[in-house]
Amino acid sequence: PFEGWRGAEGWAPFEGREQVDKYLAMLAMNDAMEAALVSGNGEWAYNVLHFVVTQLMEVAEAGQEAEQGRLWLEQACKVAKRGIRLLERECKYAEALHYIALCLKSLPSALRLEKLELTHRQIVDLEHMGCKEEALTAIEGALRVEALPDALHVTLENAYSRLAVPPRRWKPQS
C-alpha cells in the first residue's frame, strides 16, 4: 500500500518494499513496548529497548541510515525514548544514561531535534545522579547548537544558571 506513494512536494517516505517491511517491523517493536508498559512488564520493555538500540547501533556502524529510511529511524528513536523514560521513572539513571549515550552516538545528524531531546534528558539524568560538572558541560555543548528551539534554549539557560555557581564556573555565560 505504501509503494509509489508521494507526499507533499513529491517526497516519498519509502524507497521500496524492503523499507516498508523494516518500518512495519519497527512499528511492531513500538506495539511491543506499548504492551510491556501497559502490562507493567518492565523486563519485557527493557528487552525491547535493548533490541531497538542495538539495531540503531548496527545501522549506524554499517552506515545504512539512508537504506533504513528516515521514518524507520524516527520510529526507532521514539521506541528508545519510551524505554529510557521508563528507566528514568524507576530512578535507574545510570542505565538511562547508557542508552542515551548509545542513541546519541547512533542517530544521524538529520534527526537533530531528537538528538537535542535526548541531550536534554541526559542533562536531567546527570543532575539526578549528582554529576553537576558533567551536566554543566553537556549544557554548554547543547547551547552551542545552531537554531536551538526557543523552549529548549530557555530550559537549558535556566539549568545553566542553576548549575553555574562559583566555583564551578566563575564567569556566567553571556
Side-chain angles (χ1 to χ4, degrees):
F2 298 111
E3 299 246 10
W5 180 81
R6 297 238 175 247
E9 301 173 13
W11 178 73
F14 303 105
E15 295 177 7
R17 183 70 203 169
E18 188 175 327
Q19 274 193 357
V20 173
D21 292 339
K22 289 178 181 178
Y23 179 69
L24 292 175
M26 189 52 64
L27 284 177
M29 289 290 104
N30 185 46
D31 292 343
M33 178 65 79
E34 178 70 25
L37 294 174
V38 167
S39 68
N41 189 340
E43 185 177 341
W44 188 12
Y46 301 142
N47 287 338
V48 172
L49 170 64
H50 182 75
F51 179 78
V52 169
V53 172
T54 301
Q55 282 193 327
L56 274 172
M57 290 172 36
E58 289 172 358
V59 165
E61 288 172 6
Q64 296 176 334
E65 291 92 346
E67 290 84 5
Q68 291 297 96
R70 182 180 176 99
L71 291 176
W72 183 91
L73 290 166
E74 288 173 350
Q75 191 65 36
C77 185
K78 177 182 172 186
V79 174
K81 288 190 293 189
R82 291 177 77 192
I84 289 166
R85 282 195 293 272
L86 175 65
L87 288 168
E88 292 169 339
R89 192 170 56 229
E90 295 180 353
C91 298
K92 296 180 179 180
Y93 300 116
E95 291 91 343
L97 285 168
H98 170 74
Y99 284 111
I100 289 171
L102 293 175
C103 286
L104 286 172
K105 185 176 132 186
S106 301
L107 289 174
S109 58
L111 297 178
R112 186 179 65 82
L113 292 177
E114 285 81 359
K115 289 183 91 163
L116 286 171
E117 185 180 329
L118 285 168
T119 301
H120 178 248
R121 297 304 324 149
Q122 179 184 39
I123 291 165
V124 170
D125 291 347
L126 285 168
E127 282 188 75
H128 285 307
M129 290 184 63
C131 303
K132 299 197 185 306
E133 188 66 37
E134 292 89 346
L136 196 54
T137 302
I139 290 170
E140 290 169 343
L143 285 172
R144 285 191 214 103
V145 172
E146 294 290 322
L148 193 64
D150 291 338
L152 184 57
H153 189 81
V154 169
T155 302
L156 291 174
E157 282 184 346
N158 288 339
Y160 186 88
S161 299
R162 187 176 59 251
L163 291 172
V165 294
R168 253 186 235 112
R169 297 289 188 269
W170 290 100
K171 295 180 185 176
Q173 185 175 6
S174 57

